[in-house]
Amino acid sequence: LLIWGLCDRELPLWKSVGSIALSLGLLFAVICTFSRAGIAFAAGCFLCAVLWSNLRSASLRVGVRVRTGTLALGLLMALGIVRVAGPILSRIQTAPKASETARDEFNHAAQLMLRDHPFGIGLNNFSYVLTHHTEYRQNFEAMKNEETAGVAHHIYWLTAAETGYLGLALYVTIIVRFAWSAWRGARRNKSIHGTLLFGVFLGFGALQASGFYEWAFRLTPVMQLFVIQAAVAVSWAEAGQTKVRHTRAPELLAIPVPQES
Protein backbone atom coordinates (compact mmCIF):
# COMPACT_ATOMS: atom_id res chain seq x y z
CA LEU A 1 0.00 0.00 0.00
CA LEU A 2 2.75 2.44 0.91
CA ILE A 3 4.80 1.81 -2.23
CA TRP A 4 1.69 1.99 -4.38
CA GLY A 5 0.61 5.30 -2.88
CA LEU A 6 4.04 6.83 -3.31
CA CYS A 7 5.10 5.47 -6.70
CA ASP A 8 2.09 5.01 -8.99
CA ARG A 9 1.85 8.28 -10.93
CA GLU A 10 -1.41 7.16 -12.56
CA LEU A 11 -3.07 6.94 -9.16
CA PRO A 12 -5.24 10.00 -8.36
CA LEU A 13 -3.97 12.10 -5.48
CA TRP A 14 -6.84 11.22 -3.17
CA LYS A 15 -6.28 7.51 -3.74
CA SER A 16 -2.57 7.95 -3.17
CA VAL A 17 -3.17 9.73 0.13
CA GLY A 18 -5.73 7.11 1.12
CA SER A 19 -3.32 4.28 0.37
CA ILE A 20 -0.59 5.87 2.47
CA ALA A 21 -3.07 6.56 5.28
CA LEU A 22 -4.16 2.91 5.27
CA SER A 23 -0.55 1.74 5.53
CA LEU A 24 -0.09 4.05 8.52
CA GLY A 25 -3.26 2.62 10.04
CA LEU A 26 -1.91 -0.91 9.68
CA LEU A 27 1.36 0.13 11.28
CA PHE A 28 -0.57 1.70 14.16
CA ALA A 29 -2.62 -1.50 14.57
CA VAL A 30 0.55 -3.57 14.94
CA ILE A 31 1.99 -1.12 17.46
CA CYS A 32 -1.21 -1.37 19.52
CA THR A 33 -0.64 -5.11 19.94
CA PHE A 34 2.57 -4.28 21.87
CA SER A 35 4.17 -7.31 20.24
CA ARG A 36 7.89 -6.61 20.33
CA ALA A 37 8.68 -8.71 17.28
CA GLY A 38 5.63 -7.40 15.44
CA ILE A 39 6.61 -3.78 16.03
CA ALA A 40 10.18 -4.44 14.88
CA PHE A 41 9.10 -6.22 11.69
CA ALA A 42 6.38 -3.67 10.85
CA ALA A 43 8.67 -0.68 11.39
CA GLY A 44 11.45 -2.33 9.40
CA CYS A 45 9.16 -3.08 6.45
CA PHE A 46 7.77 0.46 6.57
CA LEU A 47 11.23 2.04 6.42
CA CYS A 48 12.39 -0.33 3.68
CA ALA A 49 9.30 0.49 1.60
CA VAL A 50 10.01 4.23 1.89
CA LEU A 51 13.67 3.73 0.95
CA TRP A 52 12.76 1.53 -2.03
CA SER A 53 10.21 4.09 -3.24
CA ASN A 54 12.88 6.78 -3.23
CA LEU A 55 15.30 4.54 -5.12
CA ARG A 56 12.70 3.82 -7.82
CA SER A 57 11.28 7.33 -8.03
CA ALA A 58 13.59 8.42 -10.86
CA SER A 59 12.71 5.54 -13.19
CA LEU A 60 8.99 6.02 -12.50
CA ARG A 61 9.15 9.83 -12.79
CA VAL A 62 7.45 10.43 -9.47
CA GLY A 63 10.28 12.20 -7.70
CA VAL A 64 8.23 15.12 -6.40
CA ARG A 65 5.44 12.90 -5.03
CA VAL A 66 7.88 10.51 -3.36
CA ARG A 67 10.01 13.28 -1.83
CA THR A 68 6.95 15.10 -0.53
CA GLY A 69 5.45 11.92 0.84
CA THR A 70 8.72 10.90 2.45
CA LEU A 71 9.02 14.26 4.21
CA ALA A 72 5.46 14.06 5.51
CA LEU A 73 5.93 10.46 6.64
CA GLY A 74 9.18 11.38 8.37
CA LEU A 75 7.44 14.07 10.40
CA LEU A 76 4.55 11.76 11.30
CA MET A 77 6.93 8.97 12.29
CA ALA A 78 8.95 11.32 14.48
CA LEU A 79 5.81 12.44 16.29
CA GLY A 80 4.62 8.84 16.60
CA ILE A 81 7.93 7.68 18.07
CA VAL A 82 7.80 10.42 20.69
CA ARG A 83 4.26 9.39 21.60
CA VAL A 84 4.74 5.60 21.85
CA ALA A 85 8.39 5.34 22.93
CA GLY A 86 7.52 5.31 26.64
CA PRO A 87 4.87 2.54 26.56
CA ILE A 88 6.97 0.39 24.20
CA LEU A 89 10.08 0.66 26.39
CA SER A 90 7.96 -0.19 29.40
CA ARG A 91 6.57 -3.24 27.59
CA ILE A 92 10.08 -4.42 26.76
CA GLN A 93 11.32 -3.96 30.32
CA THR A 94 8.30 -5.58 31.99
CA ALA A 95 7.68 -8.46 29.58
CA PRO A 96 6.73 -11.54 31.63
CA LYS A 97 9.40 -14.23 31.78
CA ALA A 98 6.74 -16.94 31.70
CA SER A 99 5.89 -16.08 28.10
CA GLU A 100 9.41 -16.81 26.88
CA THR A 101 9.61 -19.90 29.08
CA ALA A 102 6.38 -21.31 27.64
CA ARG A 103 7.63 -20.72 24.09
CA ASP A 104 10.86 -22.56 24.87
CA GLU A 105 8.95 -25.47 26.42
CA PHE A 106 6.74 -25.93 23.37
CA ASN A 107 9.71 -25.70 21.01
CA HIS A 108 11.60 -28.31 23.05
CA ALA A 109 8.58 -30.61 22.90
CA ALA A 110 8.54 -30.22 19.10
CA GLN A 111 12.21 -31.19 18.96
CA LEU A 112 11.52 -34.31 21.00
CA MET A 113 8.66 -35.27 18.70
CA LEU A 114 10.88 -34.85 15.64
CA ARG A 115 13.54 -36.99 17.27
CA ASP A 116 11.06 -39.79 17.90
CA HIS A 117 9.15 -39.37 14.61
CA PRO A 118 11.45 -38.25 11.74
CA PHE A 119 8.51 -38.40 9.32
CA GLY A 120 6.25 -36.35 11.59
CA ILE A 121 3.29 -37.00 13.86
CA GLY A 122 0.72 -35.77 11.35
CA LEU A 123 -0.42 -32.33 10.29
CA ASN A 124 -2.28 -30.38 13.01
CA ASN A 125 -1.60 -33.11 15.57
CA PHE A 126 0.90 -31.24 17.77
CA SER A 127 -1.61 -30.20 20.43
CA TYR A 128 -3.25 -33.62 20.48
CA VAL A 129 0.03 -35.48 20.93
CA LEU A 130 1.31 -33.04 23.55
CA THR A 131 -1.94 -33.38 25.50
CA HIS A 132 -2.17 -37.18 25.46
CA HIS A 133 1.53 -38.11 25.53
CA THR A 134 2.75 -36.63 28.77
CA GLU A 135 6.35 -37.70 28.19
CA TYR A 136 6.75 -34.70 25.91
CA ARG A 137 5.81 -32.24 28.65
CA GLN A 138 7.16 -33.83 31.76
CA ASN A 139 9.70 -31.02 32.14
CA PHE A 140 7.16 -28.22 31.69
CA GLU A 141 7.06 -25.48 34.31
CA ALA A 142 5.17 -22.49 32.92
CA MET A 143 2.49 -24.64 31.22
CA LYS A 144 2.44 -27.70 33.48
CA ASN A 145 -1.02 -26.96 34.90
CA GLU A 146 -2.76 -26.61 31.55
CA GLU A 147 -5.23 -29.41 30.84
CA THR A 148 -5.05 -28.93 27.08
CA ALA A 149 -1.65 -28.36 25.48
CA GLY A 150 -1.03 -25.47 23.13
CA VAL A 151 0.94 -25.11 19.90
CA ALA A 152 4.65 -24.53 19.34
CA HIS A 153 5.25 -20.84 18.77
CA HIS A 154 7.78 -21.54 16.05
CA ILE A 155 6.46 -22.34 12.58
CA TYR A 156 9.58 -24.28 11.60
CA TRP A 157 9.73 -26.54 14.66
CA LEU A 158 5.95 -27.00 14.45
CA THR A 159 6.13 -27.97 10.78
CA ALA A 160 9.06 -30.29 11.41
CA ALA A 161 7.32 -32.02 14.33
CA GLU A 162 4.11 -32.57 12.36
CA THR A 163 5.46 -33.34 8.89
CA GLY A 164 9.03 -34.47 9.56
CA TYR A 165 12.25 -33.45 7.88
CA LEU A 166 10.79 -33.91 4.40
CA GLY A 167 7.80 -31.72 5.20
CA LEU A 168 10.01 -28.98 6.58
CA ALA A 169 12.26 -29.11 3.51
CA LEU A 170 9.22 -28.87 1.21
CA TYR A 171 7.81 -25.95 3.21
CA VAL A 172 11.06 -23.98 3.08
CA THR A 173 11.48 -24.74 -0.64
CA ILE A 174 8.01 -23.40 -1.45
CA ILE A 175 8.55 -20.25 0.62
CA VAL A 176 11.95 -19.53 -0.94
CA ARG A 177 10.59 -20.18 -4.44
CA PHE A 178 7.85 -17.56 -4.18
CA ALA A 179 10.05 -15.07 -2.32
CA TRP A 180 12.66 -15.42 -5.06
CA SER A 181 10.03 -14.72 -7.73
CA ALA A 182 9.06 -11.49 -5.96
CA TRP A 183 12.68 -10.40 -5.48
CA ARG A 184 13.71 -11.24 -9.04
CA GLY A 185 10.70 -9.45 -10.48
CA ALA A 186 11.38 -6.39 -8.33
CA ARG A 187 14.96 -6.16 -9.59
CA ARG A 188 14.28 -6.81 -13.26
CA ASN A 189 10.93 -5.16 -13.88
CA LYS A 190 11.25 -1.36 -13.69
CA SER A 191 7.53 -0.73 -14.09
CA ILE A 192 5.13 0.04 -11.26
CA HIS A 193 4.33 -3.68 -10.99
CA GLY A 194 7.98 -4.53 -10.53
CA THR A 195 8.26 -1.79 -7.94
CA LEU A 196 5.27 -3.19 -6.06
CA LEU A 197 6.84 -6.66 -6.06
CA PHE A 198 9.39 -5.43 -3.55
CA GLY A 199 6.50 -4.80 -1.17
CA VAL A 200 5.37 -8.39 -1.70
CA PHE A 201 8.91 -9.54 -0.98
CA LEU A 202 8.97 -7.53 2.24
CA GLY A 203 5.70 -9.12 3.31
CA PHE A 204 7.03 -12.61 2.66
CA GLY A 205 10.21 -11.83 4.59
CA ALA A 206 8.38 -10.40 7.60
CA LEU A 207 5.92 -13.31 7.71
CA GLN A 208 8.64 -15.95 7.64
CA ALA A 209 10.90 -14.07 10.06
CA SER A 210 8.01 -13.84 12.51
CA GLY A 211 7.73 -17.61 12.17
CA PHE A 212 10.63 -17.92 14.60
CA TYR A 213 8.33 -16.50 17.30
CA GLU A 214 4.84 -17.68 16.32
CA TRP A 215 2.79 -20.02 14.11
CA ALA A 216 0.63 -17.36 12.41
CA PHE A 217 1.26 -18.82 8.95
CA ARG A 218 -1.14 -21.65 9.81
CA LEU A 219 -4.05 -19.24 10.35
CA THR A 220 -6.46 -19.53 7.43
CA PRO A 221 -6.66 -15.76 6.58
CA VAL A 222 -2.87 -15.46 6.69
CA MET A 223 -2.39 -18.48 4.47
CA GLN A 224 -5.02 -17.21 2.03
CA LEU A 225 -3.28 -13.83 1.79
CA PHE A 226 0.05 -15.57 1.25
CA VAL A 227 -1.38 -17.66 -1.62
CA ILE A 228 -2.88 -14.55 -3.24
CA GLN A 229 0.37 -12.61 -2.96
CA ALA A 230 2.36 -15.60 -4.22
CA ALA A 231 0.16 -15.70 -7.32
CA VAL A 232 0.64 -11.95 -7.78
CA ALA A 233 4.41 -12.34 -7.43
CA VAL A 234 4.64 -15.07 -10.05
CA SER A 235 2.27 -13.29 -12.45
CA TRP A 236 4.01 -9.92 -12.31
CA ALA A 237 7.48 -11.49 -12.42
CA GLU A 238 6.57 -13.51 -15.51
CA ALA A 239 4.93 -10.45 -17.11
CA GLY A 240 8.17 -8.52 -16.61
CA GLN A 241 10.20 -11.29 -18.26
CA THR A 242 7.78 -11.43 -21.19
CA LYS A 243 8.10 -7.68 -21.68
CA VAL A 244 11.88 -7.92 -21.69
CA ARG A 245 11.80 -10.68 -24.30
CA HIS A 246 9.44 -8.68 -26.51
CA THR A 247 11.61 -5.56 -26.34
CA ARG A 248 14.66 -7.57 -27.38
CA ALA A 249 12.96 -9.25 -30.33
CA PRO A 250 13.72 -6.47 -32.88
CA GLU A 251 17.42 -6.83 -32.09
CA LEU A 252 17.28 -10.44 -33.18
CA LEU A 253 15.51 -9.52 -36.40
CA ALA A 254 18.22 -6.99 -37.18
CA ILE A 255 20.95 -9.64 -37.43
CA PRO A 256 22.22 -9.81 -41.07
CA VAL A 257 21.25 -12.97 -42.92
CA PRO A 258 23.81 -14.29 -45.46
CA GLN A 259 22.55 -14.28 -49.05
CA GLU A 260 22.78 -17.42 -51.14
CA SER A 261 25.15 -17.14 -54.07
Side-chain angles (χ1 to χ4, degrees), residues 51 65 71 116 144 156-157 161 196 210 218 229 236 239:
L51 178 61
R65 174 180 289 193
L71 179 60
D116 295 340
K144 63 181 179 181
Y156 304 103
W157 279 122
L196 291 173
S210 69
R218 293 286 189 87
Q229 292 300 310
W236 283 352

Side-chain angles (χ1 to χ4, degrees), residues 133-181:
H133 294 261
T134 56
E135 67 271 19
Y136 292 121
R137 55 173 180 161
Q138 60 184 356
N139 296 322
F140 276 21
E141 291 296 334
M143 305 297 293
K144 63 181 179 181
N145 296 322
E146 297 293 328
E147 295 183 1
T148 303
V151 180
H153 282 58
H154 194 296
I155 191 63
Y156 304 103
W157 279 122
L158 178 62
T159 302
E162 293 186 342
T163 62
Y165 290 103
L166 292 177
L168 178 62
L170 179 61
Y171 173 76
V172 173
T173 300
I174 292 173
I175 296 301
V176 171
R177 170 66 179 85
F178 287 122
W180 174 250
S181 293

Side-chain angles (χ1 to χ4, degrees), residues 252-260:
L252 299 177
L253 297 176
I255 298 177
V257 179
Q259 299 294 326
E260 295 183 1

Side-chain angles (χ1 to χ4, degrees), residues 66-90:
V66 173
R67 301 296 185 275
T68 303
T70 301
L71 179 60
L73 288 171
L75 294 174
L76 290 174
M77 289 290 289
L79 294 174
I81 290 174
V82 172
R83 176 64 181 85
V84 303
I88 291 177
L89 290 175
S90 176

